[in-house]
Amino acid sequence: MCTSARPANLEDRLWNRKIRVQHDRFFLKWHATRQCLSFRTLLHRLRSQPFAAAFLITTFLFANIHATNAAEKFPGVGRTAIPAEIKAWDIDVRPDFKGLPAGSGSVQKGQKIWESKCASCHGTFGESNEVFTPITGGTTGLDAVSGRVASLRGDANPGYPQRTTLMKLSEMSALWDYINRAMPWDAPKSLAADEVYAVTAYILNLGDIVPADFVLSDRNIAEVQAKLPNRNGTKLFLPLWDINGRGDVVNFACMKNCKVDVNITSSLPDFAKNAHGNLADQNRLVGATRGVRTDSSTEASDAPLPGKARNPNATSGKDSREISGTESVAPLQAGQAAALAKQYSCVVCHAANAKLVGPSYNDIAAKYKGDATASDKLIAKIRSGGAGVWGAIRMPSHATMSDAELKALVHWSLAGGN
Amino acid sequence: MRIDVPLEERSLANEVTDADGIAARNAALSPMGLGRLRRAPEGFLNASQIADVQAGRRGLLRHALLSAAGLTSLSLNSSFARPSLDAKAVPTVDPRGDPNILEMPEHTKSLGQPVAARGYGMPSIWENNLQRRESPGLTRVGAAGVSFCPLQGLFGIITPSGLHFERHHHGWWDIDPRKHRFMINGLVKNPKVYTMDDLMRLPSVSRIHFIECGANTGMEWGNVAVPTVQYTHGMLSCCEFTGVLLSTLLDDCGYDKMNGKYLLAEGADGSGMTRTISIDRALDDCFVAYAMNGEMLRPENGYPLRLVVPGVQGVSWVKWLRRIEVGDMPYATKDETLHYVDLMPDGIQRQYTSIQECKSVITSPSAGQMLLDRGYYNITGLAWSGRGKVKRVDVSTDGGKNWRTAKLETPILSKCFTRFSISWNFDGKPSLLQSRAIDATGYVQPRLNQLREVRGSRSIYHNNAIQTWRIASDGEVSNVHLG
């Protein structure tokens, strides 16, 4: 947590000052050597830092600085970015490969990374289970010749049931950048550049785009680009990019006796009506309409009649916000734990009776049955993450969760997730 | 293995943490639990009683029903009956008078709650049905999912902050604003870093704009797939945003006016969302926003900083915005190459399809609802265009054969919701409701079949078709496609 409290004693304060002066000194040197001195920046520093100012006066022409400031539109707002900062954030890779860091990785090494860090979600061969995006499949050697993936065509026969990454991919830069910035999904930006090259090479090999002994690098990535099955399959569509464009679908505003077909060609089948839950509960209780009741539970409405209707406005006077702020934590209800599991994406990796990325709740419950220390251990484990108890795959950390939430989820996990 | 969390578990758990509170809330909210009322007797009418109601002989029924249900002083116009036109949900007036008037309720006879009982006000518990909701099976995991805005229950043009739709690719965060930094680099004289303090000191604009996900209505390209306007159109919201124009910031960094043709906008979340924006768009009306509807952005909407790209699909409104780079070519980012490309019948994927073309939808009455009765209705809905103002909205009740021009409510703003409404008498004849918007460029919102003729039905994105709601003779409204 960040505290804005001042340092308690004078030494500390002076020490902080000293660091800042040194920092400014570095800053100026850097500017001077690059011969693109920003007087604006200097001036901010001078104004806010009397110590630094004293130092700077001996080094620079003051009048000059003043003159520049007069022309500045927003003095004191923002500062020049330091090269190291730009380097830390400017990680994007363009289609011409500007931004691509030097490095390389083999298919072989990529396979290891894939199996330990990607396969749990995307499947051993990139085919994915039903939960995650399929990476490979749907491309052919013929596509590689034309640069157009045939199975994407509307009249493709046979078609391919899903749109895989390699079917869609028209720019190598996008695949490299995708993995580099966003994968593995639960630990983005954790791969080193060489690892990204390697796992990218492995994906390309799964799609028969490169051979099994291939080593992908910044030097040969453009050659791979020239082999992508769908490299010619993506086009800028100007009318939906340009604000002044005209759309490609034209209608006109007929007002009377318009020739249109009013046959109903599609409607929701009865069995699907309740797929989104009871619609009566998704509409307001008053107004011109009500929600249609789509569940069948309505007939079981023989709840006992209480003597007096409960007035929901006459609550205990306590707001839920106050309550959640108190120390003592009431046990959460099962529904809430399930909601938390969803909120914190536990459901991505855990299910009640099936092993996903992590163990099933039933297996967890069985393992720790009768273990009085389990609760505290598991709270700590979920908070900090870790591997080794169930296998080599790591559970990510959950540092932002509150004690109450963790406790609730552990109790719930130990009850087998129900 | 499908991961499905039962609907019941999509609870309001975050707000209520004590078991008692939950019980109270459930009791108050579940139709069955409301004061443990039975369903109102209207739901149990037999055929002859229905005939009585239709003939206006309600008084006759009143007594029989009261005794049948064992109710005496409880309101008969309970909203929790299965609403059905035959068995009217409208009040049956007791000749002795309405007990809601005759018997003074507790809130009239005792003391209510004090000021600041809630430091941050909340909607009435009676409004709890209106929630952001997910569409089961649409996305694979909640942290890379969508929640839909309940358009069926909203008024005017402003979306309440808590009901703004959500789309995250890597989950949402509540970022410490003191530590958030915003950088501009690339083709600029002076690459700069701004703190939130810096940004909030600069001159600001406040503007109302709609935001629509490019995939809104995407589930409906092929056939009817979802039951209500929340799911057909709910990746859509409209708020007042406050922040600093990109033109101000780009000038402040001295962007390269010769070569700077495109911007890359990048988010600070795990997905590092990246999107290309043309410099013309950026200088025209884009801004970095820190506020929404008069308060700071909500975390789910990118707190403390997001990009606003009026008229352009939501994915470009990068949340948790950390960086803008000025460049000289489009970036073909992951979300411009592997996602958000529109697949055409010839197998070509259209790239950089950004503008949200003119579109409208009737929100009341809309699918999944039930009209209370025959008689008067105010048909109302929303129209919007990514190319400017909405000029006109026409409404048809016969599936598009005949149209009447609706009334537009003010304000009518560029790239913003416009609320329309028109009077209608429902006489019990099955009807097909449609709205058709025309924007200031003269573009007319197309029919679904016109879109399909050109774009096929696998595009996922950019379905701005005219929506049809069928009204059955019993008043039930449903989602249909016409041939």
Side-chain angles (χ1 to χ4, degrees):
Chain A
M1 219 211 329
C2 178
T3 59
S4 56
R6 287 165 181 241
N9 59 49
L10 191 65
E11 282 85 346
D12 280 357
R13 277 189 241 166
L14 283 175
W15 175 239
N16 284 353
R17 271 272 163 77
K18 203 156 119 201
I19 290 173
R20 275 193 250 152
V21 171
Q22 279 167 354
H23 169 78
D24 283 10
R25 198 147 137 212
F26 161 77
F27 211 69
L28 289 168
K29 261 205 198 130
W30 171 67
H31 271 289
T33 52
R34 289 197 40 190
Q35 294 185 313
C36 61
L37 187 77
S38 161
F39 290 112
R40 177 190 333 186
T41 314
L42 289 185
L43 196 80
H44 305 168
R45 301 275 151 184
L46 293 178
R47 273 145 104 250
S48 59
Q49 307 285 332
F51 280 98
F55 171 78
L56 290 171
I57 290 165
T58 61
T59 328
F60 293 95
L61 268 179
F62 206 57
N64 205 349
I65 293 168
H66 254 300
T68 315
N69 182 50
E72 196 183 2
K73 209 162 166 193
F74 306 116
V77 177
R79 63 163 175 86
T80 298
I82 293 167
E85 295 173 336
I86 297 175
K87 186 159 172 262
W89 273 8
D90 188 354
I91 59 167
D92 65 274
V93 182
R94 303 203 309 189
D96 61 357
F97 301 114
K98 186 165 174 244
L100 186 69
S104 66
S106 65
V107 170
Q108 222 179 1
K109 188 179 147 204
Q111 179 171 5
K112 290 211 187 79
I113 298 167
W114 180 268
E115 278 162 10
S116 63
K117 297 188 170 167
C118 321
S120 55
C121 290
H122 292 294
T124 309
F125 303 105
E127 79 291 355
S128 296
N129 48 45
E130 280 172 45
V131 182
F132 295 101
T133 326
I135 308 289
T136 60
T139 58
T140 66
L142 274 182
D143 298 339
V145 177
S146 65
R148 290 277 310 273
V149 167
S151 61
L152 281 175
R153 297 184 56 98
D155 54 9
N157 187 16
Y160 198 75
Q162 286 173 300
R163 269 172 243 178
T164 69
T165 303
L166 289 183
M167 284 166 69
K168 293 179 287 181
L169 188 69
S170 57
E171 304 289 347
M172 268 311 295
S173 54
L175 179 60
W176 200 96
D177 177 82
Y178 199 130
I179 297 170
N180 184 49
R181 74 170 54 238
M183 290 295 138
W185 192 54
D186 51 337
K189 300 174 191 72
S190 61
L191 298 182
D194 285 348
E195 293 178 303
V196 178
Y197 279 109
V199 79
T200 305
Y202 180 67
I203 291 173
L204 292 167
N205 177 250
L206 284 176
D208 286 332
I209 299 164
V210 302
D213 59 358
F214 192 74
V215 178
L216 179 69
S217 73
D218 55 308
R219 290 175 306 283
N220 65 12
I221 196 168
E223 290 157 32
V224 178
Q225 169 68 34
K227 293 187 198 158
L228 283 187
N230 205 40
R231 62 186 176 278
N232 300 323
T234 301
K235 289 217 171 82
L236 162 69
F237 183 65
L238 202 57
L240 287 188
W241 168 255
D242 179 8
I243 181 102
N244 298 314
R246 295 291 288 176
D248 54 341
V249 181
V250 180
N251 190 8
F252 82 106
C254 165
M255 294 301 284
K256 284 255 162 311
N257 304 317
C258 312
K259 285 201 175 45
V260 289
D261 202 342
V262 297
N263 292 326
I264 291 176
T265 53
S266 179
S267 59
L268 209 59
D270 275 342
F271 70 82
K273 279 197 167 156
N274 195 40
H276 286 68
N278 184 10
L279 303 179
D281 298 338
Q282 302 183 16
N283 279 272
R284 188 166 279 116
L285 309 177
V286 293
T289 59
R290 296 288 184 277
V292 176
R293 183 164 291 288
T294 52
D295 68 1
S296 50
S297 66
T298 54
E299 293 318 311
S301 62
D302 281 344
L305 272 176
K308 188 175 172 227
R310 184 169 186 150
N311 177 0
N313 284 329
T315 66
S316 64
K318 259 202 173 174
D319 179 24
S320 57
R321 276 157 204 273
E322 278 172 47
I323 293 161
S324 62
T326 59
E327 285 303 311
S328 72
V329 182
L332 299 186
Q333 293 203 335
Q336 281 183 280
L340 283 173
K342 189 150 182 254
Q343 182 189 341
Y344 289 104
S345 297
C346 318
V347 294
V348 173
C349 301
H350 297 286
N353 346 304
K355 180 185 179 314
L356 300 179
V357 180
S360 75
Y361 294 122
N362 281 342
D363 288 346
I364 295 172
K367 181 179 176 83
Y368 294 105
K369 199 162 181 235
D371 179 349
T373 63
S375 177
D376 287 345
K377 226 164 37 196
L378 293 180
I379 287 175
K381 168 77 166 270
I382 299 171
R383 172 168 287 137
S384 59
V389 178
W390 298 86
I393 303 175
R394 215 184 139 266
M395 169 158 65
S397 69
H398 296 88
T400 57
M401 293 181 66
S402 73
D403 282 348
E405 288 171 333
L406 279 168
K407 210 166 172 179
L409 276 174
V410 164
H411 283 165
W412 183 72
S413 305
L414 288 173
N418 43 77
Chain B
M1 169 97 26
R2 270 293 314 283
I3 294 174
D4 246 343
V5 171
L7 274 158
E8 298 72 50
E9 291 174 9
R10 300 178 177 170
S11 71
L12 318 151
N14 294 344
E15 291 159 27
V16 187
T17 50
D18 68 326
D20 225 47
I22 288 182
R25 208 174 252 239
N26 287 346
L29 292 172
S30 102
M32 249 49 82
L34 179 92
R36 312 232 162 56
L37 269 180
R38 282 171 193 266
R39 287 191 299 131
E42 288 97 333
F44 301 111
L45 297 186
N46 63 32
S48 79
Q49 289 167 326
I50 289 169
D52 280 346
V53 171
Q54 279 171 341
R57 296 188 293 267
R58 290 183 197 160
L60 289 175
L61 284 171
R62 161 84 180 161
H63 229 82
L65 290 175
L66 275 178
S67 38
L71 300 174
T72 46
S73 67
L74 288 165
S75 156
L76 268 196
N77 69 352
S78 161
S79 333
F80 303 116
R82 177 199 170 93
S84 131
L85 197 66
D86 292 336
K88 315 225 174 196
V90 287
T92 10
V93 179
D94 190 311
R96 289 164 300 184
D98 182 346
N100 285 310
I101 295 172
L102 299 180
E103 290 164 24
M104 270 190 275
E106 220 163 310
H107 60 252
T108 308
K109 295 195 295 182
S110 55
L111 192 58
Q113 300 193 44
V115 295
R118 297 157 161 181
Y120 192 106
M122 300 281 284
S124 157
I125 59 161
W126 302 105
E127 292 297 310
N128 236 327
N129 283 356
L130 297 163
Q131 300 272 331
R132 296 194 277 228
R133 292 174 197 274
E134 287 175 87
S135 180
L138 173 62
T139 53
R140 297 153 203 256
V141 283
V146 179
S147 73
F148 295 80
C149 173
L151 299 172
Q152 70 273 21
L154 301 189
F155 308 98
I157 59 171
I158 299 288
T159 307
S161 299
L163 293 178
H164 191 297
F165 82 96
E166 297 168 277
R167 170 79 173 111
H168 318 302
H169 288 260
H170 249 93
W172 62 269
W173 292 94
D174 200 350
I175 295 174
D176 182 341
R178 296 166 300 185
K179 297 183 180 172
H180 189 72
R181 301 290 179 268
F182 171 61
M183 180 188 286
I184 298 184
N185 74 318
L187 300 175
V188 293
K189 272 201 207 83
N190 185 22
K192 285 188 78 167
V193 170
Y194 300 88
T195 59
M196 289 309 298
D197 299 336
D198 290 326
L199 294 172
M200 292 167 83
R201 278 168 74 180
L202 287 170
S204 66
V205 294
S206 291
R207 293 178 184 169
I208 309 176
H209 289 298
F210 79 84
I211 169 172
E212 181 180 23
C213 177
N216 200 24
T217 322
M219 290 181 279
E220 295 274 315
W221 270 107
N223 51 272
V224 167
V226 289
T228 74
V229 70
Q230 176 157 18
Y231 307 104
T232 58
H233 288 75
M235 286 192 247
L236 174 70
S237 295
C238 183
C239 295
E240 185 196 58
F241 294 93
T242 299
V244 185
L245 284 170
L246 271 188
S247 55
T248 304
L249 292 162
L250 290 170
D251 268 342
D252 192 43
C253 295
Y255 78 99
D256 181 340
K257 291 185 179 153
M258 280 283 287
N259 304 306
K261 297 270 190 326
Y262 299 92
L263 304 186
L264 178 76
E266 180 180 73
D269 61 331
S271 87
M273 174 57 67
T274 34
R275 292 283 299 178
T276 303
I277 292 148
S278 78
I279 196 87
D280 300 343
R281 284 290 81 247
L283 294 175
D284 179 16
D285 57 4
C286 294
F287 57 104
V288 300
Y290 40 78
M292 182 166 106
N293 292 342
E295 61 183 2
M296 286 296 275
L297 289 167
R298 295 284 172 96
E300 300 94 311
N301 304 116
Y303 181 93
L305 196 67
R306 89 172 304 169
L307 195 59
V308 172
V309 192
V312 168
Q313 63 184 2
V315 63
S316 291
W317 298 40
V318 175
K319 296 188 281 188
W320 313 288
L321 182 71
R322 78 170 191 185
R323 190 170 71 95
I324 280 185
E325 176 178 308
V326 183
D328 55 8
M329 66 186 289
Y331 287 82
T333 67
K334 69 180 171 69
D335 288 279
E336 291 164 346
T337 305
L338 290 174
H339 309 296
Y340 302 93
V341 284
D342 309 10
L343 183 61
M344 294 294 109
D346 62 0
I348 283 287
Q349 301 177 116
R350 286 179 173 175
Q351 203 174 16
Y352 306 116
T353 49
S354 300
I355 303 287
Q356 295 299 110
E357 294 183 289
C358 188
K359 185 167 171 180
S360 70
V361 67
I362 293 168
T363 55
S364 177
S366 59
Q369 296 181 330
M370 196 86 191
L371 302 186
L372 287 184
D373 199 350
R374 292 179 192 173
Y376 179 83
Y377 285 88
N378 182 40
I379 295 176
T380 176
L382 295 164
W384 62 99
S385 167
R387 299 199 201 269
K389 288 184 183 175
V390 169
K391 193 171 71 186
R392 191 178 105 197
V393 178
D394 303 321
V395 170
S396 171
T397 55
D398 59 6
K401 286 187 187 151
N402 295 286
W403 298 82
R404 288 185 297 146
T405 296
K407 180 175 126 219
L408 301 187
E409 307 294 334
T410 54
I412 300 170
L413 302 170
S414 180
K415 304 172 188 174
C416 178
F417 278 179
T418 297
R419 171 69 62 177
F420 66 85
S421 58
I422 194 164
S423 297
W424 179 54
N425 236 332
F426 177 53
D427 57 9
K429 266 214 303 285
S431 307
L432 296 165
L433 264 51
Q434 296 183 334
S435 67
R436 174 182 70 192
I438 305 173
D439 70 14
T441 71
Y443 172 90
V444 182
Q445 182 184 6
R447 296 194 306 275
L448 185 53
N449 278 349
Q450 292 175 314
L451 276 166
R452 282 189 187 137
E453 268 160 35
V454 180
R455 301 183 186 171
S457 58
R458 301 178 306 149
S459 152
I460 301 177
Y461 303 100
H462 295 102
N463 178 353
N464 65 326
I466 289 173
Q467 172 70 51
T468 309
W469 304 130
R470 174 174 189 269
I471 307 213
S473 54
D474 67 354
E476 180 170 343
V477 193
S478 61
N479 179 10
V480 296
H481 287 178
L482 301 184

